[in-house]
Amino acid sequence: MTDRANGRPDARRAQVRRHRRERQIVVFGVLLIAVAFAGVFAAGVYKGDVDGPFSQEFVTPAGAFDSDITLVCPPANKTAMQHRNVGVRILNGTDTNGLASSVADDLDGRNYVVVSTENWGRTYGDYVRLYFGPDGVRQAYTVALNFDGEVDMVLDNREGTLVDIVLGEGFAETGELRSTLAPELDPDAVLSANAQCLPVALVTPEPAPRILPDNPVDKKNKKKNSGN
């Protein structure tokens, strides 16, 4: 039997509890230190101050989204729009008289909605430039298919889907659109860019002209949407 009068079992139990508490303190202390160290290490990797255990970076370095790319990508997996849903304004950037009217007749024959023809007010030495807004990206890529040379596509901050076509000296040398039988004008072909591009949200638009003509296509779409 145990001699309780001497308090030996109580002393042993107290000693066991004390050792248990000491082990728990050590274990929890080590765990807390490990968690704190892991947190500091993870924060350093996230900020880029510490090299992580993997070759792939966890975050994009500061300024990595800054880019010289100004070309907007076409909408993913989209084909050209029906031409009757694309409004264009044609601007003659050359000294060739009647160039804008000639192109207007050709595009009208292809069922585009020609809003107006004008002189650009300055000379454009390259082939063709298109100006369009964020809502007109697919329309601009549809228009670009009609031209056989290098088309400069410029995003500006205009509202609506109107596409401005600036005809340059390079185009004036031939004055002809791409043949309607060309494979590029296959209505089932998916739109694509001919150079590196970025989603429209990542491209900084240029200022749009202060005055733009009314686009009947946009009016028709607004009327249609309001009726739904």
Side-chain angles (χ1 to χ4, degrees), residues 1 12 14 25 39 61 67 70 76 95 103 111 131 135 151 157 187 191 194 219-221 225:
M1 294 180 64
R12 285 197 295 272
I25 292 172
S67 174
T70 59
D95 295 329
V103 172
N111 295 323
Y131 288 96
D135 294 330
V151 178
N157 58 5
L191 297 172
N194 59 2
K219 288 186 175 181
K220 180 179 66 174
N221 290 337
N225 293 333

Side-chain angles (χ1 to χ4, degrees), residues 179-191:
S179 169
T180 56
L181 300 178
E184 291 85 355
L185 289 175
D186 181 352
D188 295 325
V190 175
L191 297 172

